């Protein structure tokens, strides 16, 4: 389980790049794990993009 780190919020572009990098090598991961990866990436992208607009 991931918890937010103390300190300033991450730079959205860095968070987006990090999230997308988690999709690399997906073809070498068991298909049963794909949903969890996609959900984690979606959550990170949603958070990063929301912080850009300060929504």
């Amino acid at each position: 389980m991931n918890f937010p780190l103390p300190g300033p919020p991450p730079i959205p572009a860095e968070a987006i790049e990090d999230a997308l990098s988690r999709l690399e090598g997906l073809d070498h991961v068991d298909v049963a794990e794909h949903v969890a990866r996609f959900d984690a990436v979606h959550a990170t992208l949603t958070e990063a993009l929301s912080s850009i607009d300060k929504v």
Side-chain angles (χ1 to χ4, degrees):
M1 185 173 231
N2 293 331
F3 296 98
L5 298 174
I11 298 170
E14 290 176 4
I16 292 168
E17 287 178 27
D18 180 51
L20 294 177
S21 73
R22 288 185 247 157
L23 296 177
E24 293 175 7
L26 196 59
D27 54 336
H28 300 292
V29 177
D30 186 40
V31 174
E33 296 178 32
H34 286 197
V35 173
R37 283 236 192 151
F38 288 136
D39 283 345
V41 169
H42 182 265
T44 301
L45 292 175
T46 300
E47 182 178 329
L49 294 173
S50 293
S51 71
I52 291 171
D53 294 332
K54 297 182 178 29
V55 174

